[in-house]
Amino acid sequence: MRWKTGDILVIALVITLAAALWIFSAAGATRATACVIELDGHTYATYRLDECHTPKTVDIRTERGFNQVVIDQRGAYVSQSDCPNGDEVKRGRLEKAGDTAVCLPHRLVVRLTGTQQVDAVTE
């Protein structure tokens, strides 16, 4: 099959638009500054990421079960859980503000909060 000029232009346009969307979405990302751990809808603990010079391990034991959360300067993740499905462990590392890991049976929420990164301010 031989490529026509129109085919090449359409492919180039699609690649350019995809690259532009990826750049703009990365530029608007929010930087995580804190990790908030909640149990039963109440704040259990809050950790500032810039104060975690070495990884901090938080063991959470309740009558519903056990979860282990690891927090460092880059973010947080649930490393262990005795939850039946383990979705919060499979979720992996939380790195951007708004990232969340949830364990419904244990009523645990781990979320990152932060601030919007701004490249420039105009008036």
Side-chain angles (χ1 to χ4, degrees):
M1 175 177 163
R2 193 171 160 105
W3 292 91
K4 296 182 182 178
T5 305
D7 296 335
I8 294 172
L9 288 175
V10 168
I11 292 171
L13 180 65
V14 168
I15 291 172
T16 303
L17 286 173
L21 286 172
W22 180 75
I23 289 170
F24 286 122
S25 68
T30 52
R31 192 173 134 272
T33 57
C35 175
V36 179
I37 300 173
E38 298 175 355
L39 278 172
D40 288 324
H42 298 50
T43 301
Y44 175 81
T46 302
Y47 299 94
R48 290 179 47 96
L49 298 183
D50 61 356
E51 293 176 356
C52 295
H53 301 292
T54 59
K56 178 169 186 56
T57 302
V58 181
D59 291 337
I60 303 164
R61 295 182 194 281
T62 68
E63 65 277 357
R64 291 182 194 91
F66 170 76
N67 294 89
Q68 184 177 73
V69 179
V70 178
I71 305 163
D72 60 25
Q73 288 185 328
R74 292 180 15 223
Y77 61 94
V78 179
S79 61
Q80 294 181 32
S81 175
D82 61 3
C83 187
N85 56 11
D87 287 339
E88 67 280 10
V89 176
K90 295 174 192 169
R91 167 67 173 86
R93 177 174 284 280
L94 311 174
E95 294 181 335
K96 292 186 253 176
D99 285 353
T100 305
V102 178
C103 178
L104 289 176
H106 298 171
R107 298 182 186 165
L108 171 78
V109 176
V110 179
R111 65 183 169 85
L112 298 184
T113 61
T115 57
Q116 180 75 28
Q117 292 179 334
V118 178
D119 290 335
V121 175
T122 60
E123 292 183 31

